[in-house]
Amino acid sequence: MMSDFDGIGFAELLIGVILVLLFVYGSTDIEGLSSTPTTS
């Protein structure tokens, strides 16, 4: 079973998911930072 494991395909899928998550959460963080100045 492990010999049929597609490491490259899994890596591409994992990277794709990470990029989407970073884009979604990153865009919301950028919007929040741009709309609100340094208020910490």
Side-chain angles (χ1 to χ4, degrees), residues 11-34:
E12 290 179 350
L13 177 64
L14 187 62
I15 292 173
V17 171
I18 291 175
L19 288 177
V20 171
L21 290 176
L22 285 176
F23 178 75
V24 172
Y25 289 110
S27 61
T28 54
D29 291 339
I30 291 172
E31 290 176 358
L33 290 174
S34 61

